[in-house]
Amino acid sequence: MPICLNLKQSKWLLLIVFPSGYLLTYKYFIGTSIEFAICNILAMLSLAILLKQINFSNQKFTAIWFAIVLLLMGYFVRFYWITLD
């Protein structure tokens, strides 16, 4: 049971991805910094909504886990692409 409690609390650490990604790439968006910040905030909010829906003791949340993986992978691919340019 302690592992389940740790997972429930530590899932919120995934939200750190978005501010750290913003801080690493904001210099590439000097002309559109407001739009870039808004997109990052919306991505962080969508992840927070998905994380709020997850219950670790129930298996019916597989689709939400899939959505979280897609969201985070898309986020990293986008920033990898940006930094290559």
Side-chain angles (χ1 to χ4, degrees):
M1 198 64 135
I3 294 172
C4 190
L5 289 176
N6 289 337
L7 286 175
K8 285 181 182 179
Q9 295 168 353
S10 64
K11 69 182 179 182
W12 297 105
L13 291 175
L14 288 172
L15 293 174
I16 294 173
V17 168
F18 297 102
S20 62
Y22 177 79
L23 290 175
L24 290 172
T25 57
Y26 74 94
K27 59 186 166 244
Y28 296 105
F29 295 96
I30 293 175
T32 59
S33 60
I34 301 288
E35 292 89 359
F36 183 59
I38 290 171
C39 287
N40 278 302
I41 290 169
L42 289 175
M44 192 167 74
L45 286 174
S46 64
L47 180 63
I49 290 169
L50 287 171
L51 288 175
K52 189 172 180 175
Q53 300 298 319
I54 288 199
N55 184 2
F56 284 100
S57 61
N58 199 339
Q59 292 293 327
K60 70 178 183 176
F61 294 104
T62 307
I64 294 175
W65 276 113
F66 186 69
I68 288 173
V69 168
L70 283 177
L71 179 70
L72 290 175
M73 291 300 293
Y75 190 78
F76 281 118
V77 166
R78 178 178 63 151
F79 284 121
Y80 181 69
W81 195 332
I82 288 169
T83 55
L84 282 179
D85 284 342

